[in-house]
Short mmCIF file of all heavy atoms in Angstrom, two decimals:
data_model
loop_
_atom_site.label_atom_id
_atom_site.label_comp_id
_atom_site.label_asym_id
_atom_site.label_seq_id
_atom_site.Cartn_x
_atom_site.Cartn_y
_atom_site.Cartn_z
N GLU Z 44 68.81 -45.51 44.71
CA GLU Z 44 68.44 -46.09 43.42
C GLU Z 44 69.47 -47.09 42.94
O GLU Z 44 69.13 -48.14 42.39
CB GLU Z 44 68.26 -44.99 42.38
CG GLU Z 44 67.04 -44.12 42.63
CD GLU Z 44 66.98 -42.90 41.74
OE1 GLU Z 44 67.92 -42.67 40.93
OE2 GLU Z 44 65.98 -42.16 41.83
N GLU Z 45 70.75 -46.79 43.16
CA GLU Z 45 71.83 -47.71 42.74
C GLU Z 45 71.78 -49.00 43.56
O GLU Z 45 71.94 -50.10 43.02
CB GLU Z 45 73.18 -47.01 42.91
CG GLU Z 45 74.35 -47.84 42.46
CD GLU Z 45 74.42 -48.08 40.98
OE1 GLU Z 45 73.58 -47.55 40.21
OE2 GLU Z 45 75.31 -48.83 40.54
N ILE Z 46 71.55 -48.89 44.85
CA ILE Z 46 71.46 -50.08 45.69
C ILE Z 46 70.24 -50.91 45.31
O ILE Z 46 70.31 -52.15 45.26
CB ILE Z 46 71.46 -49.69 47.18
CG1 ILE Z 46 72.85 -49.19 47.56
CG2 ILE Z 46 71.04 -50.85 48.06
CD1 ILE Z 46 72.97 -48.58 48.92
N ALA Z 47 69.14 -50.27 44.99
CA ALA Z 47 67.95 -50.99 44.52
C ALA Z 47 68.24 -51.74 43.23
O ALA Z 47 67.78 -52.87 43.04
CB ALA Z 47 66.79 -50.02 44.34
N ARG Z 48 69.00 -51.11 42.34
CA ARG Z 48 69.37 -51.78 41.08
C ARG Z 48 70.24 -53.00 41.34
O ARG Z 48 70.00 -54.08 40.79
CB ARG Z 48 70.13 -50.79 40.18
CG ARG Z 48 70.50 -51.36 38.81
CD ARG Z 48 71.42 -50.46 38.03
NE ARG Z 48 72.75 -50.33 38.63
CZ ARG Z 48 73.72 -51.24 38.53
NH1 ARG Z 48 73.50 -52.38 37.89
NH2 ARG Z 48 74.89 -51.04 39.07
N ILE Z 49 71.21 -52.87 42.23
CA ILE Z 49 72.10 -54.00 42.55
C ILE Z 49 71.32 -55.09 43.28
O ILE Z 49 71.58 -56.28 43.08
CB ILE Z 49 73.30 -53.51 43.37
CG1 ILE Z 49 74.15 -52.56 42.51
CG2 ILE Z 49 74.14 -54.67 43.85
CD1 ILE Z 49 75.21 -51.81 43.28
N ASN Z 50 70.39 -54.71 44.14
CA ASN Z 50 69.58 -55.69 44.87
C ASN Z 50 68.84 -56.63 43.92
O ASN Z 50 68.60 -57.80 44.25
CB ASN Z 50 68.56 -55.00 45.79
CG ASN Z 50 69.17 -54.61 47.11
OD1 ASN Z 50 70.20 -55.16 47.54
ND2 ASN Z 50 68.55 -53.67 47.78
N GLN Z 51 68.48 -56.16 42.74
CA GLN Z 51 67.78 -57.00 41.76
C GLN Z 51 68.67 -58.14 41.28
O GLN Z 51 68.16 -59.16 40.80
CB GLN Z 51 67.30 -56.15 40.57
CG GLN Z 51 66.28 -55.11 40.95
CD GLN Z 51 65.05 -55.72 41.61
OE1 GLN Z 51 64.49 -56.69 41.14
NE2 GLN Z 51 64.66 -55.14 42.74
N LEU Z 52 69.97 -57.99 41.42
CA LEU Z 52 70.92 -59.03 40.99
C LEU Z 52 71.18 -60.06 42.10
O LEU Z 52 71.83 -61.07 41.86
CB LEU Z 52 72.25 -58.39 40.58
CG LEU Z 52 72.17 -57.29 39.52
CD1 LEU Z 52 73.52 -56.63 39.34
CD2 LEU Z 52 71.65 -57.85 38.21
N LEU Z 53 70.70 -59.78 43.31
CA LEU Z 53 70.94 -60.64 44.46
C LEU Z 53 69.72 -61.48 44.80
O LEU Z 53 68.60 -61.16 44.41
CB LEU Z 53 71.32 -59.78 45.67
CG LEU Z 53 72.60 -58.96 45.55
CD1 LEU Z 53 72.67 -57.93 46.68
CD2 LEU Z 53 73.81 -59.85 45.56
N LYS Z 54 69.95 -62.54 45.57
CA LYS Z 54 68.84 -63.36 46.08
C LYS Z 54 68.06 -62.52 47.10
O LYS Z 54 68.62 -61.61 47.72
CB LYS Z 54 69.39 -64.61 46.75
CG LYS Z 54 70.12 -65.52 45.78
CD LYS Z 54 70.74 -66.68 46.50
CE LYS Z 54 71.56 -67.51 45.53
NZ LYS Z 54 72.36 -68.55 46.22
N PRO Z 55 66.79 -62.81 47.31
CA PRO Z 55 65.97 -62.00 48.23
C PRO Z 55 66.58 -61.83 49.63
O PRO Z 55 66.53 -60.75 50.20
CB PRO Z 55 64.65 -62.75 48.29
CG PRO Z 55 64.56 -63.45 46.97
CD PRO Z 55 65.99 -63.83 46.62
N HIS Z 56 67.16 -62.89 50.18
CA HIS Z 56 67.72 -62.78 51.54
C HIS Z 56 69.07 -62.05 51.55
O HIS Z 56 69.55 -61.68 52.62
CB HIS Z 56 67.86 -64.16 52.18
CG HIS Z 56 68.74 -65.09 51.41
ND1 HIS Z 56 68.27 -65.86 50.38
CD2 HIS Z 56 70.07 -65.36 51.52
CE1 HIS Z 56 69.27 -66.58 49.88
NE2 HIS Z 56 70.36 -66.29 50.53
N GLU Z 57 69.68 -61.81 50.40
CA GLU Z 57 70.95 -61.10 50.32
C GLU Z 57 70.77 -59.60 50.08
O GLU Z 57 71.74 -58.85 50.10
CB GLU Z 57 71.80 -61.67 49.18
CG GLU Z 57 72.25 -63.08 49.39
CD GLU Z 57 73.00 -63.65 48.19
OE1 GLU Z 57 72.77 -63.19 47.06
OE2 GLU Z 57 73.81 -64.55 48.39
N ARG Z 58 69.57 -59.16 49.89
CA ARG Z 58 69.32 -57.77 49.53
C ARG Z 58 69.49 -56.83 50.73
O ARG Z 58 69.08 -57.15 51.85
CB ARG Z 58 67.93 -57.61 48.94
CG ARG Z 58 67.83 -58.33 47.62
CD ARG Z 58 66.48 -58.23 47.00
NE ARG Z 58 66.49 -58.95 45.73
CZ ARG Z 58 65.43 -59.38 45.12
NH1 ARG Z 58 64.24 -59.15 45.62
NH2 ARG Z 58 65.54 -60.03 43.98
N VAL Z 59 70.08 -55.68 50.47
CA VAL Z 59 70.27 -54.64 51.48
C VAL Z 59 68.99 -53.80 51.52
O VAL Z 59 68.63 -53.17 50.52
CB VAL Z 59 71.49 -53.77 51.15
CG1 VAL Z 59 71.59 -52.59 52.10
CG2 VAL Z 59 72.77 -54.62 51.20
N ILE Z 60 68.32 -53.80 52.64
CA ILE Z 60 67.04 -53.10 52.77
C ILE Z 60 67.26 -51.62 53.15
O ILE Z 60 66.63 -50.73 52.60
CB ILE Z 60 66.14 -53.79 53.80
CG1 ILE Z 60 65.96 -55.28 53.45
CG2 ILE Z 60 64.79 -53.08 53.92
CD1 ILE Z 60 65.38 -55.56 52.08
N LYS Z 61 68.14 -51.38 54.10
CA LYS Z 61 68.46 -50.01 54.54
C LYS Z 61 69.96 -49.84 54.58
O LYS Z 61 70.71 -50.83 54.68
CB LYS Z 61 67.86 -49.73 55.91
CG LYS Z 61 66.34 -49.77 55.95
CD LYS Z 61 65.84 -49.43 57.33
CE LYS Z 61 64.32 -49.44 57.37
NZ LYS Z 61 63.83 -49.06 58.70
N PHE Z 62 70.42 -48.59 54.54
CA PHE Z 62 71.85 -48.35 54.58
C PHE Z 62 72.16 -47.05 55.30
O PHE Z 62 71.32 -46.17 55.42
CB PHE Z 62 72.46 -48.36 53.18
CG PHE Z 62 71.96 -47.26 52.28
CD1 PHE Z 62 72.66 -46.06 52.16
CD2 PHE Z 62 70.80 -47.42 51.54
CE1 PHE Z 62 72.21 -45.05 51.33
CE2 PHE Z 62 70.34 -46.41 50.71
CZ PHE Z 62 71.04 -45.23 50.61
N PHE Z 63 73.38 -46.97 55.78
CA PHE Z 63 73.91 -45.78 56.43
C PHE Z 63 75.13 -45.32 55.65
O PHE Z 63 75.96 -46.15 55.28
CB PHE Z 63 74.30 -46.09 57.88
CG PHE Z 63 74.88 -44.92 58.63
CD1 PHE Z 63 74.05 -43.94 59.16
CD2 PHE Z 63 76.24 -44.80 58.79
CE1 PHE Z 63 74.58 -42.87 59.85
CE2 PHE Z 63 76.78 -43.72 59.46
CZ PHE Z 63 75.95 -42.75 60.00
N ILE Z 64 75.23 -44.03 55.39
CA ILE Z 64 76.37 -43.51 54.64
C ILE Z 64 77.44 -43.05 55.63
O ILE Z 64 77.18 -42.18 56.48
CB ILE Z 64 75.95 -42.33 53.74
CG1 ILE Z 64 74.87 -42.80 52.75
CG2 ILE Z 64 77.15 -41.75 53.00
CD1 ILE Z 64 74.26 -41.69 51.93
N ALA Z 65 78.61 -43.64 55.52
CA ALA Z 65 79.74 -43.26 56.39
C ALA Z 65 80.27 -41.90 55.96
O ALA Z 65 80.31 -41.59 54.77
CB ALA Z 65 80.84 -44.30 56.32
N SER Z 66 80.68 -41.11 56.93
CA SER Z 66 81.13 -39.74 56.64
C SER Z 66 82.57 -39.69 56.14
O SER Z 66 82.98 -38.70 55.55
CB SER Z 66 80.98 -38.88 57.89
OG SER Z 66 81.73 -39.44 58.95
N GLU Z 67 83.34 -40.73 56.38
CA GLU Z 67 84.73 -40.73 55.94
C GLU Z 67 85.15 -42.09 55.41
O GLU Z 67 84.56 -43.11 55.74
CB GLU Z 67 85.66 -40.30 57.07
CG GLU Z 67 85.64 -41.24 58.25
CD GLU Z 67 86.54 -40.77 59.39
OE1 GLU Z 67 86.81 -39.57 59.50
OE2 GLU Z 67 86.94 -41.64 60.18
N SER Z 68 86.16 -42.09 54.58
CA SER Z 68 86.68 -43.32 54.00
C SER Z 68 87.30 -44.20 55.08
O SER Z 68 87.83 -43.69 56.06
CB SER Z 68 87.72 -42.99 52.92
OG SER Z 68 88.34 -44.16 52.46
#
């Protein structure tokens, strides 16, 4: 939901469609 919110602030080609969560910093 947070990434979808941020995507609204970006141009269409800059939007992140899918993501992977890293297990460590």
Side-chain angles (χ1 to χ4, degrees):
E44 291 171 357
E45 182 69 3
I46 290 171
R48 183 189 67 78
I49 295 169
N50 276 339
Q51 296 303 312
L52 306 173
L53 297 168
K54 297 175 185 171
H56 60 274
E57 294 176 333
R58 294 179 180 160
V59 173
I60 306 302
K61 296 182 179 182
F62 64 94
F63 178 80
I64 301 173
S66 58
E67 62 182 25
S68 173

